[in-house]
């Protein structure tokens, strides 16, 4: 079975060479946990507590409108020492949005999220959009999508994705969202424990 979602193929990575897909360290084994679509009060505080429990720092790609509605959660992510980035104001998908409107949405989110990091929702954008974005932001893609959001997958299958595809330098995508909550609450602690047992150092993305 092809796993084009879980680990994007080389040809897709080559379309956006300016983006960060993976960060390998020669001297040690590392991985980068990232959380998309928050912050929301139903899930983000729990994620922060789990990360604290295991002594892990991660990176949160936040939707600007969620930050607008939950400014205290944005501040809490910062206070606990995590990295954070822009995930557009209204979670727009690049292919379905005119480039000018897409970029305006990113800049609107930038009023709430003070970061040079950007990740496109769904990992999808046009080349022309990427070209404009890269002049002001560092575009962060991913090496492993856990698919915690999928209604078709259960916790064990999501956990299997982590075990199968995690490798040195992986940027791993989870979601602090209601859609992912069913899987996330079981998978996240297990994934962290497994990654640490495999010798991975879990780091935030540099800002």
């Amino acid at each position: 079975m092809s796993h084009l979602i879980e680990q994007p193929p080389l040809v897709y990575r080559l379309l956006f060479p300016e983006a960060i897909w993976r960060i390998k360290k020669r001297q040690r084994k590392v991985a980068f946990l990232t959380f998309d679509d928050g912050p929301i009060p139903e899930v983000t505080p729990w994620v922060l507590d789990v990360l604290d429990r295991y002594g892990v720092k991660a990176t949160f790609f936040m939707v600007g409108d969620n930050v607008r509605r939950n400014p205290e959660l944005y501040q809490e992510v910062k206070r606990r020492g995590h990295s954070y980035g822009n995930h557009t104001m209204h979670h727009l998908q690049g292919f379905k949005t005119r480039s000018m409107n897409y970029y305006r949405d990113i800049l609107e989110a930038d009023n709430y999220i003070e970061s040079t990091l950007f990740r496109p929702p769904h990992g999808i954008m046009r080349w022309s959009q990427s070209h404009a974005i890269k002049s002001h932001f560092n575009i962060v893609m991913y090496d492993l999508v856990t698919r915690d959001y999928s209604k078709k997958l259960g916790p064990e299958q999501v956990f299997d994705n982590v075990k199968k595809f995690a490798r040195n330098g992986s940027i791993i995508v989870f979601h602090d969202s209601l859609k992912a909550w069913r899987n996330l609450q079981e998978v996240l602690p297990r994934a962290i424990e497994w990654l640490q047992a495999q010798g991975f150092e879990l780091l935030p993305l540099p800002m």
Side-chain angles (χ1 to χ4, degrees):
M1 181 180 176
S2 176
H3 290 275
L4 299 180
I5 298 176
E6 291 85 349
Q7 199 157 70
L10 178 61
V11 65
Y12 188 58
R13 297 171 192 244
L14 291 176
L15 289 175
F16 302 100
E18 68 278 4
I20 301 166
W21 297 86
R22 185 180 175 199
I23 306 175
K24 293 173 64 176
K25 302 286 186 182
R26 291 185 178 180
Q27 305 301 323
R28 62 196 199 275
K29 202 173 173 183
V30 300
F32 302 84
L33 299 184
T34 67
F35 297 86
D36 288 4
D37 298 356
I40 60 170
E42 297 89 343
V43 182
T44 305
W46 178 87
V47 171
L48 291 171
D49 288 345
V50 169
L51 295 173
D52 278 355
R53 187 191 320 156
Y54 291 100
V56 171
K57 301 300 181 189
T59 306
F60 291 77
F61 286 95
M62 304 185 196
V63 174
D65 198 49
N66 285 340
V67 172
R68 180 187 64 80
R69 287 181 289 173
N70 304 290
E72 72 288 349
L73 288 180
Y74 169 66
Q75 293 300 330
E76 187 66 10
V77 168
K78 293 172 65 174
R79 188 185 72 78
R80 298 207 198 185
H82 301 286
S83 297
Y84 49 92
N86 187 322
H87 201 47
T88 75
M89 188 69 187
H90 300 101
H91 202 258
L92 299 183
Q93 188 176 120
F95 275 177
K96 297 180 179 180
T97 310
R98 291 181 59 188
S99 292
M100 184 178 294
N101 294 339
Y102 189 68
Y103 196 63
R104 282 176 180 166
D105 205 70
I106 294 167
L107 292 181
E108 185 179 354
D110 189 49
N111 292 324
Y112 297 92
I113 304 163
E114 300 170 348
S115 177
T116 59
L117 302 181
F118 171 77
R119 172 177 283 162
H122 308 286
I124 295 172
M125 58 185 167
R126 300 177 188 173
W127 187 88
S128 60
Q129 293 166 345
S130 172
H131 186 71
I133 293 164
K134 72 179 182 181
S135 62
H136 293 96
F137 298 90
N138 294 317
I139 300 171
V140 180
M141 297 296 264
Y142 44 82
D143 186 57
L144 193 172
V145 177
T146 64
R147 297 188 67 195
D148 53 350
Y149 56 83
S150 176
K151 294 180 180 179
K152 298 179 180 179
L153 301 184
E156 204 62 43
Q157 293 165 296
V158 175
F159 184 42
D160 283 344
N161 285 337
V162 175
K163 293 188 290 183
K164 183 172 183 178
F165 294 105
R167 55 183 175 171
N168 185 21
S170 283
I171 298 173
I172 303 172
V173 179
F174 287 98
H175 296 79
D176 53 329
S177 67
L178 291 175
K179 188 182 291 185
W181 175 240
R182 177 179 64 89
N183 286 320
L184 187 70
Q185 58 188 312
E186 180 175 333
V187 175
L188 182 59
R190 293 176 67 191
I192 292 174
E193 290 175 6
W194 183 86
L195 288 163
Q196 291 179 331
Q198 301 304 306
F200 284 95
E201 183 180 359
L202 302 177
L203 301 174
L205 291 166
M207 292 182 63

